[in-house]
Amino acid sequence: MSTHALIQKILHKIGDPKIVSKLAQNLSGSEFNSLMLEVFKQRAASVSPSELLRNYEKNRFTLPASSDPIRILERKLNWLQAAKIKGFEPVTCSPAAPFGSCSSFGTVNQDKVISAVRGTEIMADATNILALQLALSHKKDSKDLKRFATTHRHIRAQHFDQPNFTAHFEVFGMASGGVDSGSFRFEKEELIAHLSLILHLLRHSFPDREFRLAFYLKEKPESWKARLENWLQDSISIPMTFQEDPEHHYYESFQFKVFLTHEGHLIDLADGGLVDWTKMLTGNQKHRCLISGIGLELVEKLASNPLP
């Protein structure tokens, strides 16, 4: 049954076809929160211990991960220490994010996020929160360049057909923010800073493997290709490819991905690029933001179970 058909069935059962719009539009945030707290309290009162156990066993959002927690924690510590040495300030993010953190400025459908009460949602992407932190820092000191790094256990609501993709997973994220000083200085310096740290961490995890860097150009492809090649020719010594990708608008100007090569196949381990999030958050069109992330848990699984 489609989502639309399911909603229509529920509305018919309730007997009020306008109840969704009434709840979404006619209530303030605090009123909606109070109502949902009462709904959840009444529904929780009817959950028996045996039902709770059945739900725990079947719910893909709540079961433990299969990864070794000690090795994950060790990797998190090592990567954050390396980031701090490279000038990224480690941040401990909350498990909760403000409601709309991914859909408001990150172009992600709210259906892919687990929405919660009290104006929150479960963290689905830490780089969005780092962007919020960059915007707050900009309000306090508009001239300073800021670099943040974090590790976080993300949880995503969309269903994956691939059995190796789990609903919750550990990631390493970075974000840089600052005011444009001209000549693409921010873009150049922060791209090199992010890629250098990403490759340092991945090479330490896979010392005998090769990597490839792919750029997906969102606008003015010839200009950006020449610019990126010029910036990276002396600092990033891995094969690079470029392709036009104007259809996807999560990033602006360019996106990059770092792949591990294995028997002719490419394994996607990291990605990043320029985003316009802090422009929207601060209202300052000169503010720049570059984000990136590595699948920390994926790296740990591959490194702990070496590829043949």
Side-chain angles (χ1 to χ4, degrees):
M1 181 181 296
S2 69
T3 301
H4 176 74
L6 178 59
I7 294 297
Q8 294 305 310
K9 181 180 179 181
I10 294 171
L11 295 179
H12 179 74
K13 183 176 182 179
I14 292 174
D16 186 348
K18 296 184 177 180
I19 190 170
V20 173
S21 60
K22 289 178 181 178
L23 292 173
Q25 301 170 17
N26 295 359
L27 299 180
S28 68
S30 60
E31 289 171 337
F32 178 78
N33 181 68
S34 298
L35 178 63
M36 295 309 296
L37 284 173
E38 180 62 26
V39 170
F40 284 132
K41 182 173 71 173
Q42 291 189 25
R43 293 186 68 90
S46 67
V47 178
S48 67
S50 59
E51 183 182 1
L52 180 64
L53 180 59
R54 287 195 300 272
N55 292 341
Y56 174 70
E57 183 181 15
K58 296 177 181 178
N59 195 325
R60 62 192 175 94
F61 299 124
T62 60
L63 287 172
S66 60
S67 53
D68 184 334
I70 295 176
R71 294 183 67 89
I72 289 288
L73 287 169
E74 289 174 340
R75 188 171 296 274
K76 290 171 64 173
L77 176 60
N78 292 335
W79 284 18
L80 287 173
Q81 287 175 330
K84 187 174 183 179
I85 291 172
K86 297 294 185 180
F88 289 83
E89 178 184 343
V91 176
T92 302
C93 294
S94 168
F99 179 73
S101 291
C102 289
S103 61
S104 175
F105 59 85
T107 70
V108 173
N109 192 307
Q110 192 67 28
D111 289 347
K112 297 181 179 180
V113 180
I114 299 181
S115 302
V117 294
R118 294 187 169 92
T120 65
E121 61 191 38
I122 298 179
M123 175 81 79
D125 195 329
T127 55
N128 294 61
I129 302 307
L130 295 183
L132 286 168
Q133 193 62 34
L134 287 171
L136 279 182
S137 299
H138 177 71
K139 288 178 62 177
K140 297 175 182 177
D141 191 337
S142 61
K143 295 183 179 180
D144 275 3
L145 168 71
K146 292 290 185 181
R147 292 174 174 169
F148 295 130
T150 192
T151 59
H152 202 279
R153 189 152 207 90
H154 287 178
I155 187 163
R156 302 275 174 84
Q158 72 262 43
H159 180 74
F160 295 108
D161 294 326
Q162 167 58 258
N164 292 325
F165 291 175
T166 57
H168 58 89
F169 49 91
E170 199 75 39
V171 300
F172 173 82
M174 295 180 285
S176 299
V179 177
D180 176 31
S181 59
S183 302
F184 298 98
R185 179 179 175 183
F186 172 89
E187 290 86 345
K188 174 184 177 180
E189 292 181 354
E190 296 314 301
L191 175 62
I192 292 173
H194 282 238
L195 283 175
S196 296
L197 180 54
I198 288 170
L199 290 173
H200 168 77
L201 297 175
L202 293 180
R203 283 169 172 155
H204 188 266
S205 301
F206 307 101
D208 301 321
R209 296 289 175 173
E210 295 182 352
F211 301 92
R212 290 187 179 274
L213 175 61
F215 282 99
Y216 304 88
L217 308 177
K218 310 299 179 179
E219 60 180 15
K220 302 177 181 177
E222 293 302 320
S223 297
W224 271 107
K225 180 177 183 294
R227 194 175 289 130
L228 291 165
E229 286 177 325
N230 179 58
W231 291 351
L232 302 178
Q233 62 182 344
D234 296 324
S235 55
I236 305 298
S237 57
I238 61 173
M240 288 184 282
T241 61
F242 300 86
Q243 67 183 68
E244 297 182 31
D245 181 30
E247 289 82 19
H248 300 96
H249 304 293
Y250 188 86
Y251 293 96
E252 64 172 4
S253 300
F254 67 83
Q255 174 191 8
F256 67 81
K257 286 181 175 288
V258 179
F259 297 94
L260 174 70
T261 63
H262 175 62
E263 295 183 347
H265 298 286
L266 299 177
I267 302 174
D268 184 357
L269 297 181
D271 85 326
L274 291 170
V275 291
D276 60 0
W277 301 347
T278 53
K279 291 180 186 178
M280 291 188 281
L281 291 167
T282 64
N284 184 347
Q285 294 304 301
K286 286 187 172 292
H287 201 274
R288 302 290 184 263
C289 182
L290 192 144
I291 63 169
S292 65
I294 308 175
L296 186 150
E297 190 157 347
L298 175 60
V299 170
E300 176 56 38
K301 288 179 179 179
L302 293 175
S304 299
N305 300 281
L307 297 168

